[in-house]
Amino acid sequence: MTTDTTTRTATTTASTRTRRLDAVGGHLVLGAITVFSLVPIVWMYVTALRPRDDVLGQSVLPTGISLDNLRAAADLLPLGGLIGNTAFMAVGVAACQLFTALLAAYAFGRWHFRGERVLFLIFVATWLVPFQVTMLPNYILLSNLGWLNTLTGVIVPQITAPFAVLLLRQHMRSFPRELLDAARMDGRSHWNTLWTVVVPSLRGPLAALAILLFVTAWNEYFWPLLVLSDPASVVQIGLRSLITEAGTDYGAMMAAAGALCLPILAVYLLLQRQVVNAFVRSGLK
């Protein structure tokens, strides 16, 4: 009896030690990833605050603090206009993707029909299609429609997001079916049920998804670069205009990039809890 107790105690101790080592290893890996992720951001703001003659300095800390780079960026770029246009583009893309994802998720979550699973897999599989495959047909179509160099041309080809459908479908499948059946028995149409029953109940996940879609649209680089050419259109094109044949003004570029990142960083820091909750409740991590 004493031998069995001793053996169980030793096994428990070894298991606890293994879990602690696994936890320490996991935290070390996460810490290393965090440091590697933060280095470019820290370097951007440090460079933005360096004096103009020390922009390309290799020291970790600047020799002095100066706002000359920010003044140069404000002279070269219409920062207010860039932020406004980019916010309009990001809000437009996020709103359209949220609307189409809500309709698709309601259909996949509310109705069961033959071929439903295959259709959903095909829909989600479009997520795996590289952007380079669709960029040329979309560009030619926009050219024929006369939508090049317009924000409409940036927004319309991005009005659907398979990721958003996948995320909302997870919430719809866990939505109480009794509420939907009760709304049906009350004589409500599907459209009315969607907006008066489903949407108020999914306010949290919808808000979190809207934030994610907004951040993704704000950070999108290649498609706006392909469609737009006016340096005063959106943030991406404005920053690119600082790269010229005469050289690149790295100080002004870092200062402009740092200033243009602040709105989206503020939005994410204020609402990060809703973003994490949406992933946890949907089962996607």
Side-chain angles (χ1 to χ4, degrees):
M1 185 67 179
T2 304
T3 304
D4 293 341
T5 302
T6 304
T7 303
R8 283 197 296 271
T9 303
T11 303
T12 304
T13 304
S15 178
T16 302
R17 186 178 302 167
T18 302
R19 285 198 298 270
R20 287 178 178 175
L21 289 176
D22 290 343
V24 171
H27 282 85
L28 288 177
V29 172
L30 292 176
I33 294 174
T34 301
V35 170
F36 279 110
S37 301
L38 289 177
V39 163
I41 299 174
V42 173
W43 189 264
M44 175 180 68
Y45 283 108
V46 169
T47 303
L49 295 175
R50 290 178 185 274
R52 296 284 286 171
D53 56 355
D54 187 39
V55 168
L56 299 180
Q58 299 301 312
S59 61
V60 176
L61 297 176
T63 56
I65 303 297
S66 173
L67 297 179
D68 290 343
N69 289 319
L70 185 59
R71 297 191 187 95
D75 293 336
L76 295 172
L77 297 174
L79 296 179
L82 292 177
I83 292 176
N85 290 337
T86 308
F88 177 79
M89 181 266 293
V91 169
V93 171
C96 292
Q97 291 180 344
L98 193 65
F99 180 71
T100 55
L102 180 62
L103 298 182
Y106 180 80
F108 282 118
R110 180 69 177 89
W111 295 309
H112 298 286
F113 49 89
R114 184 177 297 177
E116 171 199 352
R117 186 175 180 80
V118 174
L119 181 61
F120 179 70
L121 289 177
I122 293 174
F123 192 86
V124 175
T126 60
W127 192 10
L128 306 177
V129 178
F131 168 74
Q132 289 77 8
V133 174
T134 60
M135 106 182 144
L136 188 56
N138 284 335
Y139 184 85
I140 294 174
L141 180 59
L142 292 181
S143 177
N144 292 334
L145 293 173
W147 286 359
L148 290 179
N149 296 317
T150 66
L151 293 179
T152 304
V154 179
I155 294 173
V156 171
Q158 304 184 79
I159 60 174
T160 60
F163 162 74
V165 177
L166 178 63
L167 189 68
L168 282 183
R169 178 178 176 266
Q170 296 298 105
H171 288 285
M172 281 300 305
R173 289 176 68 87
S174 60
F175 193 85
R177 182 162 290 274
E178 293 78 8
L179 293 177
L180 300 177
D181 294 337
R184 190 67 176 170
M185 292 178 66
D186 286 342
R188 299 188 185 189
S189 63
H190 287 293
W191 183 260
N192 187 278
T193 302
L194 174 63
W195 294 106
T196 60
V197 178
V198 176
V199 170
S201 300
L202 296 182
R203 190 176 302 164
L206 288 173
L209 181 59
I211 296 166
L212 287 177
L213 295 175
F214 177 80
V215 173
T216 303
W218 182 284
N219 291 331
E220 176 64 32
Y221 176 73
F222 196 71
W223 182 242
L225 187 67
L226 194 64
V227 176
L228 304 173
S229 58
D230 183 4
S233 54
V234 294
V235 168
Q236 296 85 339
I237 311 302
L239 291 177
R240 183 181 176 276
S241 68
L242 296 177
I243 304 175
T244 63
E245 294 180 355
T248 302
D249 190 340
Y250 288 104
M253 176 178 286
M254 293 298 175
L260 296 172
C261 283
L262 291 179
I264 200 66
L265 284 176
V267 170
Y268 182 76
L269 290 176
L270 288 174
L271 303 174
Q272 59 176 325
R273 178 174 297 179
Q274 286 82 348
V275 175
V276 175
N277 287 340
F279 277 99
V280 172
R281 292 177 181 176
S282 65
L284 298 176
K285 298 179 181 179

